[in-house]
Each structure stands twice: as structure tokens, then as C-alpha cells.
Amino acid sequence: MLKPAGHSRQSAKLAASLKWLRNILPIAALTAAPLLASPCASARISKFNLKVAASIRKGARFLLSQGHNGTWNSNIMTWGGLKAKNPVSQNNGEEGLVMEALLSVSQSTNDTRLALNSPAMKQGIAALLKDVPNTTYAAGFQASAVSLLPLHRPELKVLHMDERYLLNSMHSDGAYTYAWLPAEGRNPRELGEWDNSNTQYAVLGMWSIDDTRKLGVPMSYWARVARHFRTTQHPDGAWWYHQSKTGVPNYGPIMRHLTSMPQAGLATMYLVDQYLDRAVRLNPVPDMNVKRGLAYVTKHFNPNADFYSLYGDERVGLYSGFKFFGTTNWFKAGAAHVMSSQAGDGSYQANFYGSNPIIGTAYGLLFLARGGVPVVFNKLQYKGPWDARPLDDDHVTEWLSKTYETPLKWQVVNTQVSYKSWLDAPILLITGHAGDHFRGFGKKTIDKLRKFINAGGMVFSNSDGGTLRWNLLMKKAAEQIVHNKYPWKTLSKKNALYHMQSLPLQYGELQGISNGVRLLWVNSPKDLGATWQRDNFYDLRAWKTAANLFFYATSKASFARKFPDLHVPPGSASRSLNVAQLHYKGNWNPEPGAWPRMVKLEAWKAQTGVTLSVSKISALSAGNTPLAVMTGTGAFTFTTAQRKALRKYMNAGGLLFADSAGGHAPFTNSFLALARKLYPSHSLHHVPPGSSIYTGTNPGGVNVMPIRYRKFFTITNGLHTKPRLLGIKVKGKWVLLFSQDDVTSGYLGTHPWGILGYATKSAQALGRNIIAYKIAHH
């Protein structure tokens, strides 16, 4: 159970861990049944996600098996073939690390052994709350773990104790070493001795404490931490491990071997900037310490590194938002290495800690758990002022996470990678202003944006500073993407985007472009990002707009639901069919990515090779393209010659399948009128329930029952469980099939609001069966 609204961002990020797995993976059966009942019913579960889920489950069970009355001490570690005392185990520090991992996973699975009231977890929590730390590691790990629990008096008492210890043991220069031992007559704070490993875990503990919003950490604390990391950064951008009592940093070969310190320093810089830099600017002001650190970490990223280093890489990725280091997806690359190191008993071999599988498994779980959290906005990094407000996406994601009691994360994606890598979030966020350094997107970026939108994505742009020229540049980009086919308009206050919640927004100044089925691009001329950057809640419209955008793009899906995996793997073909897409005067192709994706789905799911071509009505040939498909959104008319050509095509054995994109009445009325003129002596009638169009009895077909409609359709028309296809048969064969309910949009696999049509899985099944029918009856 997640904490109620108002719980910490730390909880949202750490407990986020595997929340997403609950929605895609019943632990007992490793099947996808719960997903299929959701608004995202056709979301495909990738093999990668399934592997991550299974790996985490085994790792968590290993840790549970190693506990002894709530303790996980392992005082000896092996490193480089030498046995040494394990510093993390000092005074129960290991229990904090293990419990942090288990508590993260516990909120994400159906494994009853990880429930907070299970015997093993109750023992672990009780032991965790009894610990009295007298080392930095112990206090930091304890605070990070306890902050994930429901906060009552015992938990707050422990956090207050950890806060007091970490404040007192901090060096005057903002760093830490292993312990604060005034009782022994020595205080390392005054000896100039510190190391960045202890320092990063102390700061993480204090961040967890502060983020509970129950206890406050002085702002001066974060300033001292920032000063330490700024003054100790190496010229190449890295941070080293240790400074001795003489005050001389240790750059020896052993210390250089600790490759995780650059990540520790950089991640901590990102963290403290959340407190120290909320300025609202129009132009980015580069932080040279962060810039050098990021360049170093990106250059030296090693997905096969030890887990301690990967943990640091992940913190950099999460705190900065970067999905990629350069062009490398750090989570997927690192997760592959972590999973490959898992032994048969579920433990992970972490390399850094050698023969200590408990610590290795805890770090492995933390890494895997945090990577699958749902993303609301992918923020686009482009050549221009994209990061003038580095905390806008971070803060709005935090607000959404707390308001809707669901762990979420934000990401930064760049223009150097494929548009497909942007599709793990429903919305691409573009922020900036049109100054001297930005005059619009280049052709390559426009092309990627077009492909992203055609694949079902939606763009939301914000005008930093509310500059008119930015709005004009966004208008130009959107119009280029749709080849000037659709107009850029100010959205009417009646637009569905303003009415996604029970209390509609009265904020009628958004602009955008629609293809007649859905909004493709929405732009805010007013500077919503400034409100997000400041974390300012005087005007909630900026925050509620973000929620409305998500609800619109996902048909009011739960924030906890990970956005569907839209990738379609390659398939093989045991049968084939040529399909013609009709080009006519009108909005003949509102979703250019729909049928190309359906072609891929046919190869993957039905082993059917579909060759798609665009054809004018006059060029149709039943011999070359036995199936013709037609869609649209508005009214249209065909000439006498076109109707004659179309009737000739169908009489020669061709089948026309048409649907109303978005389920709009103007297209439906026009097509019904066309059908009457094509076959005056035949009337459209409902396809009977036993037809192979529904039962899928032809090779390559699938049973579509029970049929499912989109949420918007159900709210508008009530609950329907039967398909509503209409058709005409000539000589015992279907020559025309028509759906007044949207089918084509369902091929994309996305779920925008406002579409009267079939849920994506049902739409794809209907298309599949029509193709199978035509192959069998050609």
C-alpha cells in the first residue's frame, strides 16, 4: 500500500521500484491477465520486462532466506582476493540497505512474504527501528529505509535520531567519514579526513528525512554539501574517493579503482540543486561542475561495471532525468548485466563486494526496481534552450506522483536517438523560447517528430516567458509535421482536454493541431513551466493542465499503469495479401502510422505478410489488391466515375473495408450514402455473430469475443459487448464491410481520449480477421 497523498518524493522514487510490475505481472503465474482488463488492454508486455520481473522476484526471495530474526549482517567481504571488514555492515548498516531494497519491492509485487505484516518483514522492520547507529553508513541507510514506511511516532523518532547524528557528524566543509566518535576523544570532523562514499550515503539519508515533509533539514546543510563537491571535483570532471587526515586527496591507484565516485558526486550535485536552484530563466545557465561531471560519466559509462557503480549511474539517470548517456539506454544496458549475474539461488554477484551476495543482491534489486517506473513526460533535449528550467518536469512529476498516490518518474530524451525511444511516455514535452540561439527545428528533428506523432505520440510545448515568436515557431513545426494538412487553432473551452476531470479547467488559451481524431500537438502560450520550476501552488491550473494532458493521452488510464510497449518485433509469413489504401478527396489518412503498424502486427501475430500500397479508386484491381481499406473523419462524395470503378472492383472479387476514424458522424453518413448508391438493391446489414469475421476460424484469424470498446465509447454509448460491423454480401461473399466505430486508430496501440471505437486489442483482432477472411476467399 502506498503512503497517502503527501508522502515523500523519496517514497515515490524508491517505492516506485516495482509498482509497475503489479500491473503487468501476477507473481504466481507470470501471465499478463490483469493488463488485458485495463484501459490499456492491448499493451504488449515485452520479454525484457518479464525477465526483469522474474529476476526481481527471485532476488527478493533470496534476501528473505538470508535474514536471521530481522538481521542481515555480513561482517566480512572479499575484494581483490583479500578478506576485509565490510564497512557497510558496521552497526547494522547492512540491515538498512537490505530493508530499503525489500521495502521498495514490497510495494510492487503480490508476493505475500514481502507484505509489511508478513513475519519476515515484521521482524526486519522491528530490527530496523531498534538500531541505534553510530556510523555514517548505518544512519544513512536506516533513514533511507525508514522513510519508506508509514510514518508514525516510532518511525519519526528514528528519523529524528538519524537526522541529529548526520547533522552532528558532518564536517565543517560539508563531507563525512565513517563515524563521529566524540566519546573516544576524537572527532574526524576536525581532522580533515573524509571520503565521498560515506558522504553520498549521508546526503541520501538526509534527503530521505527532508522529503518526508515531517522533519526539516536546514538549507545551510545543502549549501555545505554543494560546497564540498564543487571544491573537490577533479579537473577532468570526476570525484575521487578519499582525503586523508593530512588534507591531501588520495589519487593513488587503489582510490582510482573506485570508479563509482564520479557518479556519486554528480548525482549529489543534481540532488542539492533541487534545493538551491529554482530560478526561473529564459536561457540555460550551465553549471560547469555538473557539465564536466556529466561528460565524464557519459564517456566512461560501463554497463558491465560492479553494482556499486551501476547504482551511482542509476542515481545520475534518475536525478538528471536522462534516459540515455549519449545514445545508450543506461537502464536496459545495466539491467542486462545485473540479470546475467544472477545465480540459481536468486542472489546477484555484485563484483565490487566479491563474495558478499547479500549486499550484491540488495544493490541489484534497487537498480532493477527503479527502472520500470511509469513516465508521464519525456522532455526533449534539442539544440536550443531546452533546459532553462531544469526542474520543471521534475516538479510536475513529483506533484502528479503525490496527488495521484503513484510513483512516477521523468526523463530527458534527445534528438540523436530514434523516435521509437521517445514512445515509452505518452507525451513529449518541449520547452524553450525563441531567442537569438533558437530559430526552429531542423529537418531531421522535424522528421523524427513526425514519426513520433504518426506512431501515436502527442507533443506538448510550453513557451518559456510566454514569447510570441516561440508560439509561431511551434505552429510552424506542427504544420510542417502534418504537411499543412490541418489548421493550428486556439482550443475551444469545449475541447475535451479541459474536461478530463470532474472539475473542468477554465483555461481556454491552449493552442494545437488535431487530425480530426485526436490532438497531435498542444502548445501553451502562457508560461506553465515557470510555475512548475518554482514549485508554486498559488495557481493550480498549471498543475492540473499536466494531469489533463496525461488523462487525455491515455483515456484516463491509471498513472500506475506503465505506458504500453509499442514496439512490434519482426515476424514471419506463411500467407500473404496485397492491400490497397484508398486515396480520395478528403481526410483519407488521418493516422499515417496505423496501417504500417498493422502490417507489422500481422507478420508478428498472424504470420501473414501484408503488402500495403496507396491507390486511387480508378486504379483499383481485384486481382492485384483483393482487399481495399478506407477511413476518414469528415463528409465526402465520390463522382459517378469513382462509384462505377469501385463497384467494378467489388464485383470482380474485391472487398472494401471502411471505418469511421474517431467514430465521427459526418464520415459515417457519407459512407452509408455511398453504399446505397453502390448497391441500390442490397442493404447493409449486421454481420452475424457466427461469422468468421468474429470467430476467426480462417487461417491466421482469432476470436474477437468478448469484444471491447474504448472507455470514451462506453461512457458515451453505454456498455456494449457485441461488435457492430455492417456489410453487404454478393454471391455468398462479403464485398463491403463497414464500421461506424473506429477501428483504424486501434492499430496504433495508443489510447487518446475522445475516440468512439473499439479498444486496441479488439480493433487489431477485427482487422486481422478481415485480412484472414479475404485470403481464404480470394
Side-chain angles (χ1 to χ4, degrees):
M1 180 71 72
L2 285 173
K3 296 180 183 180
H7 69 284
S8 69
R9 176 169 52 200
Q10 176 76 344
S11 174
K13 289 183 178 177
L14 299 184
S17 0
L18 285 180
K19 173 80 175 175
W20 59 289
L21 289 174
R22 178 181 297 162
N23 300 298
I24 66 169
L25 186 66
I27 294 297
L30 294 180
T31 66
L35 180 67
L36 301 182
S38 74
C40 298
S42 69
R44 189 178 64 82
I45 304 169
S46 71
K47 291 181 179 179
F48 176 79
N49 285 343
L50 290 173
K51 286 179 64 178
V52 170
S55 181
I56 290 174
R57 179 170 175 264
K58 291 196 299 182
R61 289 192 169 182
F62 168 79
L63 285 184
L64 287 174
S65 71
Q66 301 301 302
H68 302 285
N69 298 319
T71 64
W72 283 270
N73 269 322
S74 180
N75 292 319
I76 301 298
M77 71 175 204
T78 303
W79 184 27
L82 301 175
K83 289 188 176 182
K85 188 174 182 180
N86 178 7
V88 179
S89 293
Q90 298 178 76
N91 298 284
N92 304 315
E94 193 166 3
E95 277 85 7
L97 173 63
V98 171
M99 285 304 298
E100 182 183 354
L102 290 177
L103 286 169
S104 296
V105 175
S106 73
Q107 299 195 4
S108 316
T109 72
N110 297 324
D111 192 333
T112 56
R113 296 199 303 171
L114 291 173
L116 295 185
N117 61 353
S118 68
M121 293 297 286
K122 284 176 68 176
Q123 286 184 334
I125 292 169
L128 180 69
L129 296 177
K130 288 180 182 178
D131 289 344
V132 179
N134 58 5
T135 69
T136 304
Y137 281 123
F141 281 123
Q142 184 182 47
S144 293
V146 172
S147 71
L148 299 179
L149 295 168
L151 298 179
H152 302 297
R153 179 175 291 182
E155 290 78 20
L156 291 173
K157 182 178 178 180
V158 170
L159 291 177
H160 184 69
M161 174 181 63
D162 291 332
E163 179 184 25
R164 185 170 60 250
Y165 181 89
L166 292 171
L167 283 173
N168 287 335
S169 59
M170 187 184 201
H171 296 202
S172 58
D173 61 2
Y176 289 84
T177 189
Y178 285 98
W180 172 50
L181 303 171
E184 298 182 13
R186 62 189 184 90
N187 188 345
R189 291 187 304 166
E190 308 306 328
L191 298 177
E193 181 179 3
W194 54 258
D195 72 73
N196 279 329
S197 180
N198 277 283
T199 301
Q200 71 163 326
Y201 286 108
V203 175
L204 280 172
M206 290 294 277
W207 182 53
S208 302
I209 291 167
D210 183 79
D211 215 40
T212 63
R213 304 294 169 91
K214 301 289 185 179
L215 300 169
V217 175
M219 193 62 67
S220 59
Y221 176 86
W222 308 111
R224 288 165 67 186
V225 171
R227 183 171 67 247
H228 163 73
F229 281 98
R230 290 188 189 284
T231 57
T232 60
Q233 187 179 29
H234 197 263
D236 64 359
W239 281 268
W240 301 115
Y241 174 73
H242 176 261
Q243 179 169 286
S244 68
K245 295 177 182 179
T246 63
V248 178
N250 188 332
Y251 298 140
I254 294 179
M255 296 303 107
R256 286 177 181 271
H257 184 73
L258 297 177
T259 56
S260 60
M261 290 304 103
Q263 298 96 309
L266 180 58
T268 307
M269 289 297 298
Y270 278 118
L271 189 154
V272 298
D273 277 350
Q274 294 178 6
Y275 296 92
L276 301 178
D277 185 10
R278 294 187 178 182
V280 174
R281 309 182 182 94
L282 289 182
N283 291 304
V285 178
D287 184 323
M288 297 311 297
N289 296 97
V290 170
K291 186 175 181 179
R292 289 197 301 270
L294 182 60
Y296 185 95
V297 169
T298 299
K299 181 179 179 180
H300 294 89
F301 173 64
N302 177 14
N304 299 316
D306 59 78
F307 289 9
Y308 192 91
S309 296
L310 285 178
Y311 171 79
D313 287 316
E314 182 174 58
R315 286 177 55 227
V316 170
L318 290 175
Y319 298 166
S320 68
F322 285 115
K323 180 180 178 179
F324 301 92
F325 292 153
T327 57
T328 301
N329 184 321
W330 58 263
F331 175 72
K332 282 197 171 183
H337 170 56
V338 171
M339 291 188 291
S340 70
S341 72
Q342 192 167 36
D345 62 0
S347 64
Y348 297 109
Q349 306 305 309
N351 301 333
F352 181 84
Y353 282 101
S355 62
N356 188 336
I358 292 176
I359 291 179
T361 304
Y363 274 117
L365 286 177
L366 285 175
F367 182 90
L368 293 178
R370 294 169 179 169
V373 179
V375 183
V376 178
F377 294 109
N378 270 332
K379 187 174 182 179
L380 184 66
Q381 178 185 11
Y382 60 91
K383 190 175 181 180
W386 70 275
D387 60 341
R389 283 82 178 276
L391 298 177
D392 51 4
D393 200 357
D394 184 8
H395 286 163
V396 76
T397 302
E398 178 189 1
W399 179 82
L400 291 167
S401 179
K402 291 180 178 180
T403 302
Y404 296 96
E405 302 184 31
T406 300
L408 302 166
K409 72 177 181 181
W410 64 290
Q411 286 183 161
V412 174
V413 296
N414 60 60
T415 58
Q416 304 305 309
V417 300
S418 168
Y419 75 95
K420 296 176 183 178
S421 299
W422 305 349
L423 287 167
D424 59 348
I427 301 163
L428 184 69
L429 173 64
I430 304 178
T431 65
H433 79 105
D436 294 336
H437 303 293
F438 179 68
R439 300 185 180 183
F441 299 115
K443 290 183 179 179
K444 290 184 178 180
T445 299
I446 289 292
D447 183 59
K448 288 185 178 182
L449 288 168
R450 179 182 296 115
K451 290 177 179 178
F452 169 76
I453 286 175
N454 287 350
M458 175 179 171
V459 172
F460 175 64
S461 53
N462 177 76
S463 176
D464 290 354
T467 57
L468 175 61
R469 190 159 177 268
W470 168 267
N471 301 327
L472 294 175
L473 288 176
M474 295 303 100
K475 175 179 182 289
K476 178 182 177 182
E479 289 175 340
Q480 283 181 294
I481 284 169
V482 300
H483 303 290
N484 296 304
K485 190 175 180 180
Y486 308 111
W488 176 272
K489 295 180 179 179
T490 295
L491 302 188
S492 163
K493 289 186 178 181
K494 295 181 180 180
N495 191 283
L497 184 59
Y498 296 115
H499 301 271
M500 301 309 300
Q501 304 179 68
S502 57
L503 294 176
L505 285 174
Q506 299 299 319
Y507 204 64
E509 297 185 12
L510 295 176
Q511 304 166 327
I513 274 185
S514 169
N515 63 358
V517 177
R518 62 185 174 95
L519 289 168
L520 309 178
W521 189 309
V522 176
N523 178 65
S524 175
K526 289 196 173 182
D527 190 355
L528 305 185
T531 302
W532 298 343
Q533 172 73 12
R534 292 190 185 102
D535 231 3
N536 183 337
F537 296 99
Y538 289 110
D539 186 353
L540 286 178
R541 290 179 297 179
W543 306 92
K544 290 183 178 180
T545 297
N548 278 23
L549 284 163
F550 176 85
F551 289 138
Y552 177 88
T554 63
S555 279
K556 299 187 178 181
S558 166
F559 276 97
R561 179 82 47 202
K562 188 169 171 59
F563 197 59
D565 185 347
L566 299 177
H567 171 68
V568 180
S572 57
S574 58
R575 61 191 71 85
S576 62
L577 183 71
N578 294 335
V579 177
Q581 186 174 12
L582 284 196
H583 185 293
Y584 63 93
K585 188 177 181 180
N587 193 19
W588 66 276
N589 193 21
E591 294 288 5
W595 263 102
R597 187 170 188 270
M598 186 61 188
V599 169
K600 295 179 181 178
L601 287 169
E602 279 293 285
W604 174 47
K605 289 187 174 182
Q607 292 75 53
T608 300
V610 174
T611 301
L612 182 68
S613 60
V614 176
S615 175
K616 292 183 178 181
I617 300 170
S618 59
L620 283 175
S621 167
N624 295 331
T625 54
L627 175 63
V629 294
M630 176 181 177
T631 192
T633 60
F636 67 91
T637 56
F638 283 0
T639 65
T640 301
Q642 287 174 322
R643 293 196 302 269
K644 183 178 179 180
L646 191 55
R647 185 165 49 247
K648 178 181 178 182
Y649 166 78
M650 291 187 285
N651 288 339
L655 169 61
L656 173 64
F657 168 55
D659 78 307
S660 175
H664 295 303
F667 181 89
T668 295
N669 294 335
S670 293
F671 190 85
L672 293 176
L674 172 66
R676 287 192 294 268
K677 292 179 179 180
L678 287 172
Y679 288 95
S681 60
H682 294 73
S683 61
L684 281 167
H685 58 85
H686 287 283
V687 175
S691 170
S692 62
I693 301 297
Y694 299 150
T695 61
T697 53
N698 294 312
V702 61
N703 191 345
V704 303
M705 304 303 290
I707 202 76
R708 290 182 179 170
Y709 290 86
R710 292 174 181 264
K711 184 184 293 186
F712 179 75
F713 178 96
T714 301
I715 290 174
T716 304
N717 296 321
L719 182 63
H720 287 259
T721 58
K722 297 179 180 179
R724 308 197 302 175
L725 291 187
L726 302 173
I728 293 175
K729 270 189 174 182
V730 173
K731 296 181 181 180
K733 293 182 180 181
W734 295 109
V735 296
L736 186 150
L737 292 168
F738 174 64
S739 175
Q740 62 182 314
D741 309 313
D742 179 282
V743 177
T744 299
S745 300
Y747 300 158
L748 290 173
T750 54
H751 306 268
W753 188 252
I755 295 178
L756 293 167
Y758 296 98
T760 55
K761 183 184 178 184
S762 291
Q764 292 163 14
L766 285 170
R768 178 174 171 178
N769 285 355
I770 290 169
I771 290 171
Y773 172 86
K774 194 55 197 172
I775 292 175
H777 294 83
H778 177 48

